[in-house]
Amino acid sequence: MRVTIFGTGYVGLVTGACLADSGHEVLCVDVDESKIALLRDGHIPIYEPGLESIVHSNVEAGRLAFTLSAKEGVDYGEIVMIAVGTPPDEDGSADLKYVLEVARSIGEHMAAYRLVVDKSTVPVGTGDRVETAIREALQARGVDIPFSVASNPEFLKEGAAVEDFMKPDRIVLGVEDRQAEALLRELYLPFQRNHDRTITMGRRSAELTKYAANAMLATRISFMNDLANLAERLGADIEDVRRGIGSDARIGYSFLYAGTGYGGSCFPKDVKALIHTARTEGTELPLLVAVEQVNAQQKSVLVRKARAHFGSLAGKQIALWGLAFKPGTDDMREAPSRTVLEALWSDGAQVVAYDPVAADECRRIYGDRDDLTLAATPLEAVRGADALMVVTEWKEFRAPAFDELRKRMRHPIVFDGRNLYDGDMMRRRGFEYFGVGRA
């Protein structure tokens, strides 16, 4: 099948590359000339394990191509996916400017039937607005060309997006007509040879499903963080509690880890957008308001612990392990590390940070600062440190050379924001250890 994808960001690029890798012919459209030039050479502007090799091989095979021309894109594929950004406005609502610009462009250029698919995470009712924008553009041209609009939300985890796309848990099809459903089922046939993973529903239900999924996961994280703060006061260990409740099949273990809160491009934005959607409909979602509040407070939990321990952080040298909001990505959008960095600087501390892939992103965000050093290795980051803060749970942090770590630090104090280490073991090795939710 021939597919056009508007947007070569995280969702658009992963979708395009994986569809091409299954044999479809894909043309991706973007307005960024430098990004298109990079992609045409088989390279990618983001860090995502396994993606660059797929992009390179499919560009070489001729199944994946890139263009700056919207008209070329609309002419190319019978299926046209919209995967552009929906950044949050100040009130928390999703900005649909780019989505609707693409919709109008489709209406201005289409000459035959097109299935237009919302791949971006969008508020409920966006499919209706896309349909209206396309129809108005067609009317302005004085033509009547059939088209369909569907919702096909993505459920990709950064750091595991290729695996998620190739072996999906479910494929949600929000459709309003049989032709759209048939085309999408054919498109995804290569990804469900084992069994049918498609779940078909109305367009608005599909739009809400995406928000509901992310809101549920965010709720589990904030619930555990709230419970962790109580566990500390009660003399309980949240890790034991996690295992105790996770063994219940009705609950499960996923997203039950206490820590420094959630970040990234999805959970914060989608929780805000769902709260805003409810308010525009004249109702409230008090549970999600609480989820957001708990998360905002939890991002500074390590700094609060350090202040309580040291009294003042002025002049202290703090080593920071982890800058990305999660392992497997260089994404620092809404990352807990940013809250930690900015609070430490505000208190007058010096920071030496290490992250295996996000150092360049940190440099792009903060520039050169006298109070920030980006180390080349984890052990380099802790040399002379008054304390170590573990913010992101990269695998290489799980079993460091503890004796060497202790020797290099000025004071062997560890604030473990991901509960990677056993507190008793750390104390036996000569560290002062502070976890999250651990007595």
Side-chain angles (χ1 to χ4, degrees), residues 35-58:
K35 185 187 289 188
I36 291 296
L38 183 70
L39 290 165
R40 283 172 173 167
D41 288 336
H43 302 297
I44 63 175
I46 59 175
Y47 177 83
E48 179 60 39
L51 180 60
E52 185 159 15
S53 62
I54 294 177
V55 170
H56 180 77
S57 63
N58 283 281

Side-chain angles (χ1 to χ4, degrees), residues 225 258-262 295 298-302 336 390-391 417-418 436:
N225 283 331
T260 56
Y262 59 78
N295 191 62
Q298 197 69 14
K299 286 183 177 182
S300 59
V301 64
L302 296 186
V390 181
V391 183
R418 297 298 176 181
V436 177

Side-chain angles (χ1 to χ4, degrees), residues 279-347:
R279 288 174 177 165
T280 59
E281 295 297 321
T283 188
E284 292 286 337
L285 294 175
L287 176 60
L288 290 188
V289 172
V291 165
E292 190 177 40
Q293 291 172 344
V294 168
N295 191 62
Q297 294 167 1
Q298 197 69 14
K299 286 183 177 182
S300 59
V301 64
L302 296 186
V303 178
R304 292 197 299 272
K305 288 176 180 290
R307 287 169 179 162
H309 180 79
F310 288 111
S312 170
L313 295 177
K316 300 295 182 184
Q317 181 177 315
I318 308 297
L320 203 72
W321 280 3
L323 294 166
F325 85 93
K326 62 177 285 187
T329 180
D330 62 352
D331 195 343
M332 287 183 63
R333 285 174 288 183
E334 302 277 352
S337 65
R338 297 178 67 164
T339 300
V340 173
L341 285 169
E342 291 162 18
L344 291 173
W345 292 332
S346 178
D347 284 7

Side-chain angles (χ1 to χ4, degrees), residues 101-114:
E101 282 180 3
V102 172
R104 284 189 287 270
S105 184
I106 293 169
E108 289 166 359
H109 296 298
M110 61 186 286
Y113 172 84
R114 290 292 178 263

Side-chain angles (χ1 to χ4, degrees), residues 104 107-108 132-144:
R104 284 189 287 270
E108 289 166 359
T132 298
I134 295 172
R135 184 167 288 111
E136 288 177 348
L138 291 172
Q139 289 173 349
R141 292 169 54 195
V143 295
D144 183 14

Side-chain angles (χ1 to χ4, degrees), residues 7 44 57 71 259 309 349 357 383 422:
I44 63 175
S57 63
K71 183 180 187 306
H309 180 79
V357 301
R383 187 182 298 277
D422 178 79

Side-chain angles (χ1 to χ4, degrees), residues 57-91:
S57 63
N58 283 281
V59 168
E60 289 290 309
R63 290 189 299 269
L64 179 61
F66 302 92
T67 183
L68 294 162
S69 170
K71 183 180 187 306
E72 183 183 355
V74 176
D75 288 342
Y76 183 84
E78 184 177 16
I79 298 175
V80 181
M81 292 185 165
I82 302 176
V84 295
T86 54
D89 277 340
E90 291 182 7
D91 61 1

